[in-house]
Amino acid sequence: WLFRVETTLNMFIYSSSFTYFFQDNAGQFFSSGHTNNWAVLVCTSRFWFNYRHVANTLSVYRSVKRLGIPDSHIVLMLADDMACNHRNPKPATVFSHKNMELNVYGDDVEVDYRGYEVTVENFLRVLTGRLPPSTPRSKRLLSDDRSNILIYLTGHGGNGFLKFQDSEEISNVELADAFEQMWQKRRYNELLFIIDTCQGASMYERFYSPNLMALASSQVGEDSLSHQPDLAIGVHLMDRYTFYLLEFLEDIHPASKTNMNDLFKVCPKSQCVSTPGHRTDLFLRDPGSVLITDFFGSVRKVEITMETINLTDPINAVNGELQKETYSYVDQLPVSEIIHQKPKQKDWHPPDGFILGLWTLILLVFFKTYGIKHLKHIF
Amino acid sequence: MGLLSDPNRRRALISLLTRLNTPICLVCYMAGVAWFMGLAFEPFTLRTYMSENAMGSTMVEERFPAGERALATGREFAAHKKKVGGMPVDWLVKTMQARGLEVFTQSFSRTLPFPDENKERYMVKGTNVYGILRAPRAPRTEALVLSAPCSPGDNNQAVGLLLGLAQYFRNQIYWAKDIIFLVNEHDLIGMQAWLEGYHHTNTTGMDWSPLQGRGGSIQAALSLELSSDVITSLDLVLEGLNGQLPNLDLANLFYAFCQKIGVLCTIQGKLQRNDWDSVSGYSHAVQTMMLMVMKQASGRPWGDHGLFLRYHIEAATIKGINSFRQYKTDATTIGRLLEGMYRKLNNLLERLHQSYFFYLMPSLSHFVSIGYYMPAFGLLTVILLLRETHIFTGRYLSIYSACIGNSPLLIKYVSSQQSSPGVLSVLTPLVISHLTGVALYTLPIRFQEMAVEHFPVSETEAVVLTAIAVYTAGLALPHNTHRFLSGEGTEQGWRVLKLVAVLYLAVLLGCTALINFSLGFILALTLVPVAAFVTPHIPKVLSAFILVILSPACTLLFSVFFFQELQEMPVSFQDGWLLYLSVISQGILDHFLYGSLVYPLIALLVYPCWLLFWNILFWK
């Protein structure tokens, strides 16, 4: 029995060290303090020759989805439909690599804001949450104070602004104020902002809210360049920065420990021709301890507990035979009801001539009582 | 006491202008001519570049494979054309339908005002055949046109290539615009009928059947002229009706594709040279530019594309030239070039408008925009304005000195003397000159039958010779208008007339140069010296001779000889004279057939203006 005591003792030590090991790693798990991940991916340009901006956004969407963020937590805004553009020789596809290696459009993409819905107003409303009550859930950023949000913008930009749809611009001041609104309403825990446009670094110059980290593809005064044209399609497929970002993200899997310092090294000047920039002074944690998957993935937090919880029996005993319910589909468009509907009850207003007649009556009574000579006071 | 300017300064400036008027005029004239010649000097020009964002660079993959088959189709077309003796309408309809296009025909007929001797036609009847390739997924709102004229005995390869491209384009799914493949008969007349039918206008009085099928608003058009199986170079023709030019982006697109595919491309039939700093290189550039100026000034469409420009459709003609050169390009390569151009035009979102509409090209890779060439014209117009101030202050100063130096009685006499050359003395020459102009415009056509009865000439010759006769008769006018003038021979009379005439010329030249810079500039070169220096006091015989030399008709004669020289086909005097007569008849025909404005401009406005100066010369 001593042997059994020994083995039990060993098992006890082993399991306690195991739990200790788990608690160690669990501690690392909880270092970031967020419980859910959101992504807002925006492509702001339309027209066929801006194919590459849509391909940029879709490739980030692919990576983010692959690493675990579900469609319900991604707000995807595409300003134009490249896949179904008349000029696309391969309809229903958007390629990111030439010779059509990688189709980033796929068959399960969910675009939340499309075409002309991608405006500065809608973008700011999504960020700040000030949307009309009729907006569906898929178009809302329902983040809370423990959400890590990834915001990716691409399009044509300049020093201090980003062009939306060839007709309006968002300035860096507006963006910084929107993020401050988000902070004050505690709509994020930490926020990673990536922008791939010309002179992109100007967009994060004005940030002043805490817990913001920003990356841009080029400095002020530099242009971000496109990567490679595809001759069969006839347009440039991707921008350089996002191309190398995509390559970097392809190596990330949900359990990888790569941190932000590696992300800052993506696309050096030799590959990108422009100088990518980043800003971390508003971020409270050290970038070296921030995992890529904190923003790009959706790593579920698992809390290990040793307690047991008693659940009540949910199944009620049925007396007698089971009741058979007949199921039927709800009428999607109840035509018969619409045709035979009674007109909606509007608020009742008195008929039009009534008020006029009433006043005429009052005037007549007045003048009958007090004499016609008072009429001259009116006319 | 002036409020905004100092009257003393003003007077000093005006007196300076009056004293130094002639030297300044001469300097301005020299400067204007030198500026114009300097335009062709390469450091003063800009390299061409693509301005339209949507067209981007030439990054498309051209895969047209069927050049040989296209040539075979061309030979079939030639055979059927010979069999029918005109345009093989049924065969074309069948072939286009076999390629999957929606085919329609349009018949048209026109009786020319007088027979055209160059093309030997008088009563023209024809049919246009066109097939529409509908874009597979796009709404039918925009279209591109590829056309090839059907000429007897020529241009078969172009029609074959057109049909070959139609078949290839039909198999592609990336078209966002409809493509219309048009084969027009009787080149410009057929094209005019088709365009009028397409846009529901009728500006030239032609008879045509309405179009059954349409494709939306046309964004760009190309016309093909290809008469040999292999070519050595491709020539681009840009000049259109009334000197209008297509957007420079179309030329840039053509040049970009020429460079990508490696085809030799020319403009005005002249190759590009790299030695701009040598004299021969510079003269080559000047020759190319002068050819373009001459062609633009003539106001006639130099290819079938010229009629599209009036409807704000950018169009150009591509001519295949087979000369004695080693490196030959085959039909497949030409097909690929056209395929690339059409794929790029397909990417357009709006009409070509980013690049220049007014330009001159000393070579295919360099251009001069309106901002650079207009000062040359401006310098010439400044001479007219200087002359204006000279005449005006001359009158003013003479009145001023008369008032200062004489007694009040004399002042009254002098002032009454000044007012006597009233409106009538100016109005009479004006009216008579313009009536002569109207005669020059209407009489040739109207009296051609009478002329043919009385003289042994053909109708064309009758028209042209009547025009020249009316023109020369106008020279006799000053001796006759004096009978009607009351204030004849007065000093002030001719000054007032000259004031009016110089202003009239300045406005006329300015308006002409805005629309057709080349025509305005050439007219200015010859008429501005006339306007500046004509007075009744200069020696009569010599100045009459100079005035006739500088008149519009003689300018046209010299231009004809100059144009032939530039094209390296110099002509003898007899041939030149016959060519001159045919140029006049073509000009009159262009006006009646397509609405060219050069003939009415010269007859109704420039010629009367010149007659006014002739009148001033013979004032006494």
Side-chain angles (χ1 to χ4, degrees), chain B residues 233-367:
Chain B
S233 63
L234 282 174
D235 193 40
L236 183 71
V237 184
L238 295 171
E239 300 83 12
L241 188 66
N242 290 328
Q244 208 175 346
L245 298 169
N247 198 304
L248 190 58
D249 263 340
L250 200 58
N252 298 338
L253 183 69
F254 176 73
Y255 184 59
F257 270 100
C258 281
Q259 283 192 308
K260 179 186 180 199
I261 296 193
V263 182
L264 200 60
C265 288
T266 61
I267 193 170
Q268 319 298 344
K270 289 203 184 294
L271 275 175
Q272 215 166 308
R273 286 170 67 143
N274 287 333
D275 53 344
W276 53 265
D277 42 358
S278 69
V279 174
S280 55
Y282 171 67
S283 78
H284 185 87
V286 167
Q287 277 174 33
T288 317
M289 196 178 78
M290 284 309 294
L291 271 171
M292 181 163 182
V293 164
M294 288 280 145
K295 286 189 178 174
Q296 200 185 3
S298 70
R300 52 190 321 245
W302 286 85
D304 280 8
H305 71 285
L307 298 171
F308 279 93
L309 297 170
R310 205 208 319 239
Y311 299 93
H312 200 194
I313 300 170
E314 312 310 326
T317 299
I318 298 181
K319 281 210 272 226
I321 297 180
N322 193 5
S323 64
F324 304 104
R325 219 172 256 283
Q326 217 176 2
Y327 191 70
K328 307 267 188 196
T329 317
D330 62 347
T332 315
T333 320
I334 308 175
R336 289 208 176 151
L337 190 138
L338 290 169
E339 179 199 347
M341 283 185 78
Y342 271 88
R343 267 203 85 174
K344 278 289 143 191
L345 288 171
N346 183 40
N347 283 356
L348 281 179
L349 296 151
E350 41 193 3
R351 287 179 194 275
L352 287 168
H353 67 282
Q354 301 275 11
S355 191
Y356 299 93
F357 287 99
F358 297 97
Y359 50 89
L360 290 174
M361 298 189 85
S363 75
L364 200 51
S365 61
H366 290 266
F367 75 99

Side-chain angles (χ1 to χ4, degrees), chain B residues 55 60 107 113 116 150-151 203 215 305 361 369 418 420 445 522 565:
Chain B
M55 290 214 284
V60 282
S107 55
D116 182 358
C150 166
S151 350
T203 52
H305 71 285
M361 298 189 85
S369 72
Q418 310 310 331
S420 65
I445 304 277
I522 292 177
E565 276 286 333

Side-chain angles (χ1 to χ4, degrees), chain A residues 85-88 231-232 234, chain B residues 59 61 137 173 343 346 348:
Chain A
N85 194 310
H86 310 309
R87 298 168 179 81
N88 195 345
L231 294 179
Chain B
M59 50 182 180
E61 207 179 350
R137 292 174 282 151
I173 61 167
R343 267 203 85 174
N346 183 40
L348 281 179

Side-chain angles (χ1 to χ4, degrees), chain B residues 184 315 382 385 403 481 517 528 555:
Chain B
N184 52 319
V382 153
L385 296 175
C403 288
T481 55
F517 164 76
V528 161
T555 316

Side-chain angles (χ1 to χ4, degrees), chain A residues 127-129 141 143-149 175-191 208-212 282-284:
Chain A
L127 287 183
T128 54
L141 178 66
S143 54
D144 52 29
D145 63 322
R146 306 262 262 153
S147 311
N148 273 11
I149 308 183
L175 197 59
D177 287 341
F179 287 156
E180 175 65 13
Q181 272 197 53
M182 286 173 80
W183 174 251
Q184 291 192 1
K185 287 158 77 163
R186 295 292 179 269
R187 278 168 67 77
Y188 68 89
N189 177 29
E190 285 164 352
L191 199 143
Y208 54 95
S209 319
N211 270 345
L212 294 177
L282 294 165
F283 206 73
L284 294 177

Side-chain angles (χ1 to χ4, degrees), chain A residues 34-39 69-70 73 147-148 293-299:
Chain A
H34 70 282
T35 59
N36 56 80
N37 284 84
W38 285 82
I69 305 186
H73 283 228
S147 311
N148 273 11
T293 49
D294 280 351
F295 288 102
F296 284 88
S298 181
V299 183

